[in-house]
């Protein structure tokens, strides 16, 4: 490693590297991206990149965790102090909407993983990223009368309603171009919250 590259490697933290390589993985995918490409995105040599990560797979898994956890990994913190069922449902929706609203990494990377269906990476996402918010959403559902809903299905529905809305938004706006709200984020939060509460048999007001 050259003296310049070594100095550059020392300046870059692991988080810096995750920040700089995530957009490349999101745009090109795992298979089409080489360590040389990733090192170039960081402004360092491949050897300097290997100083932080044993291989491309380790780097990619840490990018996945970093990208997703910073968006939805603090669901429990967000729900602290909220006492009413309606407020907790709305906060769940807000956290999920904010994970994908105007974010150029979360949704593209999730789409790729669901399409490629690499079992190791899907298990990693489930256990290291989605497990905590999933449990927190299930806890919210436990405020409902027993037997109304399966908690795991309820949590999956919350994810599907919010993330799925943004996944379909590029098509929806062509289907109903006159019905595009000025504030899409707030419109989605309001819509999904009301839909969730109505479907749960509680007041949406």
């Amino acid at each position: 490693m050259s003296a310049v590259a070594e100095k550059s490697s020392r300046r870059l933290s692991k988080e810096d590297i995750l920040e700089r390589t995530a957009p490349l993985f999101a745009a090109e995918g795992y298979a089409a991206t080489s360590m040389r490409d990733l090192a170039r995105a960081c402004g360092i040599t491949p050897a300097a990149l290997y100083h932080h990560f044993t291989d491309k797979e380790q780097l990619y898994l840490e990018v996945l965790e970093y990208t997703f956890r910073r968006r939805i990994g603090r669901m429990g913190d967000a729900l602290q102090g909220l006492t009413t069922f309606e407020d907790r449902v709305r906060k769940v929706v807000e956290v999920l909407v904010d994970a994908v609203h105007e974010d150029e990494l979360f949704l593209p990377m999730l789409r790729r993983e669901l399409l490629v269906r690499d079992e190791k990476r899907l298990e990693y996402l489930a256990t290291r990223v989605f497990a905590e918010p999933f449990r927190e959403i299930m806890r919210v559902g436990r405020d409902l009368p027993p037997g109304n809903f399966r908690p795991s299905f309820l949590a999956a529905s919350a994810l599907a309603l919010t993330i799925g809305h943004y996944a379909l938004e590029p098509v929806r706006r062509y289907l109903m171009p006159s019905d595009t709200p000025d504030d899409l984020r707030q419109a989605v939060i309001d819509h999904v919250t009301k839909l969730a509460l109505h479907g749960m048999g509680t007041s949406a007001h």
Side-chain angles (χ1 to χ4, degrees):
M1 183 189 306
S2 70
V4 173
E6 186 176 359
K7 184 178 180 181
S8 175
S9 176
R10 285 199 302 266
R11 283 200 305 266
L12 284 181
S13 67
K14 216 171 183 184
E15 186 172 304
D16 290 332
I17 294 173
L18 298 176
E19 285 273 6
R20 296 187 188 191
T21 56
L24 191 57
F25 276 129
E28 303 296 334
Y30 176 81
T33 307
S34 69
M35 286 295 270
R36 186 174 298 279
D37 297 328
L38 297 162
R40 189 180 301 116
C42 296
I44 58 178
T45 66
L49 199 55
Y50 281 113
H51 174 73
H52 293 278
F53 303 93
T54 56
D55 53 28
K56 184 175 76 167
E57 183 175 40
Q58 184 202 353
L59 172 55
Y60 183 66
L61 289 176
E62 293 200 29
V63 164
L64 284 179
E65 183 170 359
Y66 177 76
T67 300
F68 288 99
R69 282 188 66 83
R70 68 177 179 165
R71 305 299 293 181
I72 64 170
R74 301 299 178 188
M75 181 75 75
D77 293 342
L79 292 171
Q80 287 293 324
L82 300 179
T83 56
T84 71
F85 180 67
E86 287 79 2
D87 286 346
R88 288 166 67 79
V89 169
R90 176 171 287 274
K91 181 56 67 174
V92 164
V93 175
E94 285 180 359
V95 172
L96 294 176
V97 167
D98 285 340
V100 292
H101 185 76
E102 295 185 349
D103 183 86
E104 298 178 355
L105 300 178
F106 187 106
L107 198 54
M109 295 187 80
L110 182 60
R111 282 197 196 104
R112 285 186 182 280
E113 290 312 305
L114 295 177
L115 182 64
V116 173
R117 299 184 68 84
D118 180 284
E119 290 302 320
K120 180 178 180 179
R121 298 205 297 263
L122 289 174
E123 182 182 12
Y124 189 91
L125 275 175
T127 59
R128 298 288 292 272
V129 179
F130 284 99
E132 188 212 338
F134 198 81
R135 284 193 300 269
E136 293 298 332
I137 297 170
M138 287 177 64
R139 287 193 184 101
V140 172
R142 291 193 185 109
D143 291 339
L144 291 166
N148 275 24
F149 293 92
R150 296 173 66 172
S152 63
F153 277 44
L154 185 61
S157 294
L159 290 165
L161 279 170
T162 50
I163 296 174
H165 187 97
Y166 277 90
L168 291 173
E169 176 58 21
V171 174
R172 188 212 62 81
R173 66 172 179 254
Y174 286 108
L175 293 172
M176 292 293 294
S178 63
D179 191 30
T180 299
D182 295 330
D183 187 344
L184 178 63
R185 173 188 174 276
Q186 194 59 54
V188 173
I189 290 171
D190 291 342
H191 168 74
V192 175
T193 300
K194 290 177 181 178
L195 183 63
L197 292 173
H198 178 74
M200 294 173 190
T202 66
S203 173
H205 300 293

